[in-house]
Amino acid sequence: MTAYLGGSAFQTVMDNPVTAYRQLVQQYAKDLNGKVVDPKIASEEAKAVFRAAPIGASLSGVMPRLIGVGFKRVPKFGILLGISFIVGDGEVGMVAATGASILSAPFINPIRMIEKQQRAFFKQTGNTKPIMDILKEAAAKNFTPLFRGTLPLMGHSLASATLGLVGQPRLQKWIQKEVGAKTSIGSFGSNLIASAAVSPIYIFVTNPLSRLEVIMQTNSISGKSIGTMEAVKEVVTDSKAFGLRGVFRGQGIGIAKAILSLTLFHEGRIWCMGAFKGYNENNGYVYVEPVKA
């Protein structure tokens, strides 16, 4: 569990600028008047925000994401590993991934909502929205706005757990075994190849779901909420105006982010596991069979 959390914290800090940029590209699908705009214009507006405030934009949302490593990852990984232990031999499988995706969503969604709200009005104000302001606005509505987007999140989380936590490690082991035997490729190389292979599939599945989350979670908390079907209608309208480019806004940067995130997460996780194992062996907490002369 600690290794998973360590990998998550490392990934969160390193990939935050890409995460922020992707949200803005998807969020700026509509202008301030609510009119759908060309994906190229949305991309230019996102770049303009980063040029105007590179540090602020890059760090926007990182604090709730780091806090979320505990609030989000402990329930998700705890349920994931717990179900894996109960139904199998401890290996993470589809049953565990499905259970973790559904049961952890109520813990994860408020953090994702706060993260997106911090960046939601960057174009208008030039600053991230303080977490306390977001919580005060949510408190005025009994905190129910923090659960906007929970339904698409479940689907997103299922794809993430299935492909990122189940598929990628298994593919990495296969690559290291088959390719590593014929080349000098190491753990990092096989990790990168596995992430690059899984990421396009992952983004193809999750990008429309990510669009729904952004639509539902970036409108004003004090205003009228956008339901799942209303968000779907917005994506359909976008697709009618701009075809697949409208549906898959942020697809390219999403693939780059997924490769980066998966690689960083598993590298951090593997490093933590090795460090903890070495610590336990050095301090006599784990029996190590003596080397025979």
Side-chain angles (χ1 to χ4, degrees):
M1 171 66 81
T2 307
Y4 275 77
L5 293 177
S8 291
F10 179 60
Q11 167 215 321
T12 295
V13 174
M14 298 301 291
D15 75 1
N16 197 72
V18 186
T19 301
Y21 178 73
R22 186 187 181 204
Q23 177 190 318
L24 296 182
V25 167
Q26 294 183 329
Q27 181 182 332
Y28 296 161
K30 294 191 300 183
D31 61 21
L32 296 178
N33 296 317
K35 183 181 177 181
V36 178
V37 301
D38 190 284
K40 290 182 179 179
I41 296 175
S43 179
E44 285 302 317
E45 288 191 356
K47 290 175 184 174
V49 168
F50 270 78
R51 283 193 291 265
I55 296 176
S58 296
L59 295 178
S60 62
V62 72
M63 187 54 67
R65 290 187 76 206
L66 278 174
I67 294 172
V69 169
F71 280 96
K72 289 169 28 178
R73 306 301 190 187
V74 169
K76 184 173 182 177
F77 292 151
I79 295 168
L80 187 77
L81 297 175
I83 294 176
S84 299
F85 178 78
I86 293 170
V87 303
D89 56 1
E91 287 290 320
V92 176
M94 269 300 300
V95 175
T98 303
S101 302
I102 296 171
L103 298 176
S104 65
F107 300 95
I108 297 173
N109 204 79
I111 301 297
R112 290 175 74 93
M113 177 71 179
I114 292 170
E115 172 201 341
K116 289 184 176 63
Q117 280 289 311
Q118 275 213 299
R119 306 186 189 107
F121 306 99
F122 216 108
K123 183 164 63 173
Q124 295 93 314
T125 66
N127 294 299
T128 55
K129 191 172 183 178
I131 294 175
M132 290 309 299
D133 288 357
I134 297 169
L135 292 176
K136 286 176 182 177
E137 288 183 12
K141 292 194 173 185
N142 298 317
F143 296 102
T144 54
L146 296 183
F147 295 93
R148 294 175 183 175
T150 300
L151 192 59
L153 170 64
M154 288 182 180
H156 194 158
S157 186
L158 176 60
S160 175
T162 303
L163 294 170
L165 298 178
V166 180
Q168 199 272 3
R170 293 182 181 181
L171 182 59
Q172 181 187 355
K173 288 179 181 178
W174 182 85
I175 291 172
Q176 198 160 2
K177 179 182 176 182
E178 298 298 324
V179 182
K182 301 173 184 177
T183 66
S184 59
I185 187 172
S187 174
F188 177 80
S190 60
N191 186 7
L192 187 60
I193 293 172
S195 296
V198 168
S199 294
I201 303 170
Y202 167 71
I203 294 301
F204 180 80
V205 173
T206 62
N207 201 74
L209 295 170
S210 176
R211 286 288 312 280
L212 297 181
E213 284 186 72
V214 169
I215 291 169
M216 296 171 74
Q217 295 180 344
T218 56
N219 68 313
S220 174
I221 289 178
S222 58
K224 183 180 177 293
S225 64
I226 297 176
T228 303
M229 291 311 298
E230 193 176 346
V232 170
K233 289 178 182 177
E234 283 197 23
V235 175
V236 171
T237 301
D238 200 354
S239 69
K240 288 179 179 178
F242 301 106
L244 290 178
R245 291 194 305 135
V247 177
F248 293 103
R249 291 176 188 264
Q251 180 88 348
I253 192 68
I255 292 174
K257 175 188 178 299
I259 294 172
L260 178 67
S261 298
L262 273 176
T263 303
L264 291 172
F265 168 70
H266 287 295
E267 281 299 304
R269 176 182 63 82
I270 292 167
W271 184 88
C272 288
M273 289 175 70
F276 292 140
K277 183 179 179 181
Y279 178 84
N280 290 337
E281 289 177 353
N282 292 336
N283 288 274
Y285 300 133
V286 178
Y287 174 74
V288 180
E289 187 174 344
V291 179
K292 295 181 180 179

